[in-house]
Amino acid sequence: MNPYDALPKTPANHVALSPVAFLERAGDVHPQLVAVIHGPQRWTWVQTRARARRLATALAARGIGRGDTVAVMLSNTPQMLEAHFAVPATGGVLLALNTRLDAAAIAFQLAHGEAKLLLTDTEFAPVIAAAIAQLDRPPVVIDVDDPHGPGGTRLAAVEYEALLAEGRDDVPLAGPADEWDAIALSYTSGTTGNPKGVVTHHRGAYLNAVGNAVTLAMPHFPVYLWSLPMFHCNGWCFPWTLALMAGTSVCLRRVEARAMLDAIRAHRVTHYCGAPIVHRMLIDAPDAWKAGIEHRVCATVAAASPPASMIEGMARMGFDLTHVYGLTEVYGPAAVCAKQPEWAALPLEEQVERNARQGVAYPLQDAMGVFDPATGAPVPRDGRTLGEIFFRGNIVMKGYLKNPQATAEAFAGGWYRTGDLAVQDADGYVKIRDRSKDIIISGGENISSIEIEETLWRHPDVSEVAVVAMPDPKWGETPCAFVALRPGAAVTESDLIAFCRARLAGYKTPKRIVFGELPKTSTGKIQKNLLRARVADAA
């Protein structure tokens, strides 16, 4: 027997990794530092820990345990942060609902995820009420009546603060027995219009939370502005990162330029994340709104590559921009365009070219590369040969909930296959060239073209339809629908847009409808590449 094998794991030397532990430590080590700012309210780390403990014990008393789904329909508020620790501490799985979705999509996710309990802000009462009405087995509802929100109709007998009063603050938050246990469930539309439930685990959440701090060289006690929705990939794991670094969360219910700039100035915000539209909004804001911001701010951008004007505009404001890449299946960002020191001396155009790439794997992600999807072989690092981006490591999901076929396809060959087509440069940096599965990324939100197509097909006057991404100066991309009408139809562009708006979330509604015959291959397949070229030429 190998003598090293005679030393087994014991409770003294092996503990399951879980980001829940970060909050317990922050409460012990930095109890009086401010953890959360929400309007005039302030909570220290020991107070935040006490509130999370109360929530966890109250949920447990109501029967929430290992593998039970707890859904939340919340803005970027203290309650959302508390849920990111309390729900996993019960053994439960956190389902953070996209607050922009329509009732049908929410109902699907609640049913598919088998949510037992739902925390919902009263602002979203109308859409939640409509969603619950569609369910045979609705979850228990707890209202969150945020004093800094717009208010709304109460749906439940119990409000969040009353729920906390049911709990105890003397019971420490506990991690799982097995770090492979599910921590969160997030739905991504993928490319089919039928949402897939991405299941992530405690180990991956722990490691990516640490990876955020390492990647951004985040110091102790950062001040983080919540412009990125926490429902999006669990806020890219930053709720847990901030507990690790004993930082301060500045909550923001709505992303508006003046509110963001006022918060950055007032609280000396050091970090924030967002889609390109968020950064562009700040660049385009009046100079008077930016006055007084004289400290360095670290901004992180995902989705579309930052153009020269954005990098230059951020630099003028004193903001340092970092480009990251990822997907829900890899906890949000799992790659970064790691800046090399010598880039700073290059002309702006060359800096932009380098910074526009999706980059290299996160420090705690095992590997990222570009591979031939058919053979699984790596493509040459020549900046020209097209392949598919693959990830491998601990920062990859457990799989898709109740969908073994999709899980097997995603993990074929021992890698997670993203579906994004890219090239790899000689220095190993990856650059996306196309999205093989026709995802449209608008303002940082993934939109399924097929979901829009299926909606338009419901209109009696529509014969054929194809949806592609159309360049947009504000949102990066928006949906453009090409439609062939039935003979004799007289429907207009505004009619079809209104038809979609009544059935889809606003950001999924096509911004343009183009009528005419659709180009097809000899086998009858619509040639979306030609349609993309058409909208690109018209931009």
Side-chain angles (χ1 to χ4, degrees), residues 78 106 124 157 205 287 424 459 514 531:
I106 292 170
F124 309 117
D287 289 341
Q424 194 163 19
H459 193 285
V514 179
L531 299 179

Side-chain angles (χ1 to χ4, degrees), residues 358-380:
Q358 279 59 48
V360 295
Y362 246 39
L364 300 183
Q365 179 68 290
D366 182 61
M368 170 193 181
V370 181
F371 296 79
D372 184 317
T375 66
V379 302

Side-chain angles (χ1 to χ4, degrees), residues 15 51 53 60 88 137 168 187 190 210 212 221 242 251 262 269 344-345 349 366 370 402 414 419 436 473 495 513:
V15 177
R51 287 175 62 83
R53 285 177 172 182
R137 299 175 62 185
R168 298 171 54 183
Y187 282 87
V210 176
N212 284 336
F221 324 127
L242 290 166
C251 293
D262 286 347
V269 167
E349 293 76 12
D366 182 61
V370 181
K402 304 176 185 175
S436 63
D495 292 337
I513 307 285

Side-chain angles (χ1 to χ4, degrees), residues 179-526:
E179 61 191 21
W180 184 245
D181 279 359
I183 190 171
L185 171 64
S186 302
Y187 282 87
T188 176
S189 62
T191 61
T192 64
N194 296 317
K196 295 194 289 282
V198 174
V199 181
T200 51
H201 45 83
H202 283 255
R203 178 180 179 84
Y206 179 104
L207 292 172
N208 216 33
V210 176
N212 284 336
V214 173
T215 299
L216 299 179
M218 187 176 277
H220 284 97
F221 324 127
V223 181
Y224 184 91
L225 179 63
W226 278 106
S227 51
L228 174 77
M230 271 184 262
F231 65 67
H232 186 46
C233 307
N234 299 109
W236 295 356
C237 295
F238 275 97
W240 302 309
T241 299
L242 290 166
L244 169 68
M245 305 307 294
T248 300
S249 285
V250 179
C251 293
L252 195 65
R253 287 188 66 101
R254 282 177 174 75
V255 179
E256 298 169 341
R258 185 154 197 171
M260 286 186 66
L261 293 166
D262 286 347
I264 290 170
R265 181 189 310 105
H267 306 298
R268 291 191 64 82
V269 167
T270 62
H271 294 77
Y272 75 93
C273 301
I277 184 176
V278 175
H279 308 290
R280 173 60 61 190
M281 182 174 61
L282 299 185
I283 292 170
D284 294 340
D287 289 341
W289 294 4
K290 306 172 190 176
I293 300 176
E294 299 174 352
H295 63 284
R296 197 74 177 168
V297 179
C298 297
T300 305
V301 62
S305 302
S309 59
M310 181 177 296
I311 293 175
E312 190 174 22
M314 288 274 109
R316 284 199 306 269
M317 294 170 59
F319 288 22
D320 184 28
L321 193 64
T322 298
H323 183 207
V324 297
Y325 160 73
L327 307 93
T328 306
E329 290 86 343
V330 289
Y331 297 76
V336 59
C337 189
K339 297 176 183 177
Q340 301 296 335
E342 61 270 21
W343 293 0
L346 296 174
L348 178 62
E349 293 76 12
E350 294 185 38
Q351 290 186 44
V352 170
E353 181 182 354
R354 285 161 173 77
N355 284 314
R357 296 178 294 178
Q358 279 59 48
V360 295
Y362 246 39
L364 300 183
Q365 179 68 290
D366 182 61
M368 170 193 181
V370 181
F371 296 79
D372 184 317
T375 66
V379 302
R381 294 187 173 189
D382 57 9
R384 297 189 305 273
T385 305
L386 203 62
E388 185 177 350
I389 298 176
F390 288 7
F391 280 106
R392 181 175 64 195
N394 294 296
I395 308 173
V396 173
M397 65 173 177
K398 286 169 69 80
Y400 296 114
L401 184 67
K402 304 176 185 175
N403 198 335
Q405 180 179 346
T407 300
E409 291 172 354
F411 292 158
W415 292 77
Y416 165 59
R417 298 171 174 242
T418 67
D420 286 333
L421 301 181
V423 297
Q424 194 163 19
D425 290 337
D427 59 3
Y429 282 60
V430 170
K431 171 66 175 176
I432 287 179
R433 293 299 190 199
D434 195 9
R435 299 180 181 93
S436 63
K437 300 178 182 179
D438 300 323
I439 282 292
I440 301 166
I441 303 179
S442 182
E445 293 288 339
N446 286 356
I447 302 173
S448 166
S449 62
I450 293 178
E451 181 181 6
I452 303 172
E453 289 165 0
E454 289 176 345
T455 299
L456 283 166
W457 271 322
R458 296 177 198 166
H459 193 285
D461 289 334
V462 171
S463 173
E464 294 180 320
V465 60
V467 174
V468 299
M470 176 176 63
D472 185 273
K474 181 178 181 181
W475 299 104
E477 294 176 346
T478 54
C480 176
F482 289 83
V483 173
L485 297 176
R486 297 185 185 279
V491 66
T492 67
E493 180 181 22
S494 59
D495 292 337
L496 289 183
I497 290 175
F499 181 84
C500 290
R501 186 175 291 117
R503 292 160 178 80
L504 295 169
Y507 69 92
K508 296 181 180 180
T509 301
K511 301 302 182 289
R512 185 182 174 199
I513 307 285
V514 179
F515 295 103
E517 185 178 353
L518 305 186
K520 299 182 183 69
T521 66
S522 59
T523 59
K525 183 177 181 180
I526 295 173

